[in-house]
Amino acid sequence: MSIRISPSILAADFVNIERDLGRIGTADLVHVDVMDNHFVPNLTFGPQMVDRIQQVSTLPLDVHLMIDDPDRWAPGYAELGAYSVTFHAEATADPVALARRLRSIGARAGIALKPGTAVEPYLELLSEFDQVLVMTVEPGFGGQSFMHETMPKLQLLRQELSRTGGDVWLQVDGGINEDTVGIAAEAGADTFVAGSSVFGSDSPGLRINALREAAASGRAHAHGSSSRS
């Protein structure tokens, strides 16, 4: 099970995004937060900006749609060539139909859950998705503190995937740094969105490597605990 680091360009220098993209070459993906000032109280990128980022990025785009009506808008991001498109469970009318549509276009399909959204209704649907994003902060703003109370959702997801043998990435987003990435990895996450902890560093590449090592340590701790139980 690989460990993937996806730096969020929400924390990058918007005037120098291409430069900052070049500073995270050791990452696996680049996380692009699309906010519409309706589903969340903030406004960021739209299709034109995502298309331009797609053109200049050497990393696959991990697009996170924090928008209303993703059933209408999400396929357009897949058509731009995004590697992965994640929409919110709370905003979609039919998550399975939307995921199938995204996959048919050629993108990986992800579903995101706010901290207060229960994961149980989605456990039987996991095969319809390529990724489940467990928000570890309330969506809409960067720089928030990690919510430890979201970890049981990750544990449930990992248990279900272990039981069924499903190949679904478990992503976390919010407050991820060298202190919290291991906690999330121990709970079952394998894909980690990090914003200010990467772009706030003078050496983003070294910080990405440090996050990867801390996540590996957390996973090793989890495996050690399970083998002793």
Side-chain angles (χ1 to χ4, degrees), residues 58-199:
T58 60
L59 297 172
L61 263 55
D62 173 31
V63 176
H64 176 196
L65 300 177
M66 289 175 267
I67 63 174
D68 284 337
D69 200 9
D71 306 86
R72 176 182 179 185
W73 299 111
Y77 289 90
E79 289 165 356
L80 291 175
Y83 176 73
S84 176
V85 178
T86 296
F87 57 88
H88 267 267
E90 306 85 3
T92 179
D94 191 335
V96 170
L98 180 53
R100 290 177 179 177
R101 173 72 175 132
L102 294 171
R103 283 174 158 181
S104 74
I105 296 170
R108 290 174 59 85
I111 188 167
L113 307 174
K114 289 183 178 182
T117 300
V119 71
E120 286 82 359
Y122 302 96
L123 293 178
E124 294 184 357
L125 305 175
L126 289 180
S127 64
E128 298 285 352
F129 307 106
D130 300 295
Q131 176 170 277
V132 178
L133 167 52
V134 173
M135 292 297 298
T136 46
V137 298
E138 291 294 339
F141 295 96
Q144 298 180 68
S145 297
F146 181 84
M147 298 173 68
H148 293 262
E149 60 268 31
T150 59
M151 292 300 95
K153 286 200 284 190
L154 273 174
Q155 293 166 345
L156 272 176
L157 286 162
R158 180 54 64 199
Q159 289 167 9
E160 181 65 13
L161 290 172
S162 296
R163 185 184 71 81
T164 62
D167 182 19
V168 181
W169 295 1
L170 297 185
Q171 186 176 66
V172 286
D173 181 2
I176 298 299
N177 54 41
E178 289 176 51
D179 296 323
T180 58
V181 69
I183 296 169
E186 186 173 353
D190 53 34
T191 307
F192 307 88
V193 177
S196 54
S197 66
V198 171
F199 286 110

Side-chain angles (χ1 to χ4, degrees), residues 11 14 20 30 40 42 45 47-48 53 68 87 106 108 116-117 128 136 146 166 191 212 219 229:
F14 286 2
D20 278 3
V30 57
V40 292
N42 203 349
F45 313 106
Q48 289 179 317
I53 294 168
D68 284 337
F87 57 88
R108 290 174 59 85
T117 300
E128 298 285 352
T136 46
F146 181 84
T191 307
R212 205 183 299 277
R219 175 182 294 171
S229 60

